[in-house]
Amino acid sequence: MAQKRNYLEKKIKKHFMGIYYACGKKFWFSCGSYLIDGQKYKYDKKMLGKQMLLFELAKKNFRILEIGVYMGHSILIMLSSNPKLEITGIDIDDRFAPKAMNYLKKKFPKAKLDFLQGDSISKLKSMTKKYDLFHIDGDHKTLKIYREIIACTKLTNNNMKILFDDIDMMKSVERSLISAFKVKKYIKPKSRYTNLYLEIKLDKISILKFKLFFYFFYFFELPVIIFHFLKSLIRKLLLFFLGKKLCNYLGQFILSYFTNDYLTSFGKKLKNI
């Protein structure tokens, strides 16, 4: 395990920091990736399991669609495995994703990288290209993921290969897929914030069953969904009434004068809102 970690870390180290500099030495606090935990910009070795799964999948596929680019860390892992990949990335973010993608385009000239900025569902509906592998790692709201899966089924053949990050946050999606489709391959590595790889056989009846199973399991997730909705609403209200600059100033003030764990966590979020 240590040998694999050293090998992967060596492969990505230079560009891991290069992306950080390209993004102005900033990242979105509390938003993790395949390489960082969201608390600080430091390689997280506890996620090696899911990193290696992505690394190995990149060797076996050529045309990949990724939903949720963020700082391009998952794309960096894939390109480190196979520098000639053809990857389309979709992200609504305009703060980090475009800069990260531009950096990766320059550093991996043999790859074909396309970036589509905007809402994933809107972009998917207008696409016709077929893909070998789908990597879903954007909005972690289960209803949005469900809609992304349905849209992606139209962009592949009858044998769909799909990878989900942070799968433990979307139990209803996992249960619905396993209940509805014939699963040809199931891989969930031991890892912090683990991912899940599935190969499923597509047909009209299975897709219909998936829709029915999803809404059944989704009902039981409503309390968690409401909690996350309220968190998002509070963030939007703070931005609306205080503005980004004042939120950043208040965050810095809290970090400078308070040591309580809850307050410092809140201060970091305000500083990076």
Side-chain angles (χ1 to χ4, degrees), residues 1-190:
M1 187 67 76
Q3 187 177 3
K4 285 184 178 180
R5 184 180 72 241
N6 293 336
Y7 171 73
L8 180 61
E9 194 171 359
K10 185 178 179 181
K11 292 275 285 185
I12 66 168
K13 187 175 181 179
K14 177 182 175 182
H15 297 305
F16 175 62
M17 293 310 301
I19 289 172
Y20 182 56
Y21 290 121
C23 292
K25 297 183 181 180
K26 294 180 180 179
F27 68 97
W28 191 357
F29 179 78
S30 78
C31 182
S33 75
Y34 266 76
L35 300 176
I36 63 173
D37 64 4
Q39 303 301 307
K40 50 190 173 183
Y41 198 87
K42 181 181 179 182
Y43 173 70
D44 190 342
K45 62 184 180 182
K46 293 181 181 179
M47 290 191 273
L48 179 64
K50 72 176 189 176
Q51 294 164 4
M52 290 307 301
L53 174 57
L54 181 61
F55 188 84
E56 293 301 321
L57 288 173
K59 291 180 181 178
K60 303 171 185 176
N61 296 278
F62 173 69
R63 187 173 290 163
I64 299 172
L65 174 63
E66 176 170 277
I67 300 173
V69 174
Y70 184 32
M71 298 186 80
H73 289 165
S74 50
I75 294 179
L76 170 59
I77 292 173
M78 290 189 278
L79 291 175
S80 298
S81 173
N82 184 352
K84 295 182 180 180
L85 283 173
E86 184 176 318
I87 302 175
T88 300
I90 302 175
D91 205 310
I92 201 166
D93 167 55
D94 62 356
R95 186 176 177 185
F96 299 105
K99 295 174 183 176
M101 285 295 280
N102 286 335
Y103 173 86
L104 291 169
K105 284 180 182 179
K106 293 176 184 177
K107 300 301 178 179
F108 292 90
K110 293 182 180 180
K112 183 179 179 183
L113 304 179
D114 294 315
F115 177 60
L116 304 177
Q117 187 175 334
D119 176 70
S120 59
I121 303 301
S122 299
K123 295 298 179 182
L124 288 167
K125 285 181 178 178
S126 64
M127 296 170 69
T128 57
K129 186 187 291 186
K130 301 293 184 181
Y131 292 91
D132 306 319
L133 174 67
F134 299 89
H135 181 216
I136 296 184
D137 187 21
D139 191 330
H140 284 17
K141 298 182 181 69
T142 50
L143 184 59
K144 185 65 172 287
I145 296 165
Y146 159 77
R147 295 177 66 199
E148 290 170 345
I149 294 169
I150 295 298
C152 287
T153 59
K154 300 173 184 178
L155 304 176
T156 188
N157 55 32
N158 292 334
N159 184 41
M160 186 178 195
K161 301 176 183 178
I162 188 164
L163 178 69
F164 301 91
D165 192 26
D166 299 317
I167 189 62
D168 290 335
M169 296 178 67
M170 48 192 89
K171 290 292 185 182
S172 61
V173 172
E174 181 180 357
R175 291 171 186 166
S176 303
L177 287 165
I178 293 170
S179 300
F181 294 101
K182 179 181 179 181
V183 179
K184 302 174 75 174
K185 189 170 285 188
Y186 177 102
I187 303 175
K188 185 192 280 189
K190 289 183 179 180

Side-chain angles (χ1 to χ4, degrees), residues 225-237:
I225 292 165
I226 292 170
F227 172 73
H228 287 294
F229 169 77
L230 291 174
K231 283 178 64 178
S232 177
L233 179 62
I234 290 170
R235 181 179 183 276
K236 289 176 181 178
L237 288 173

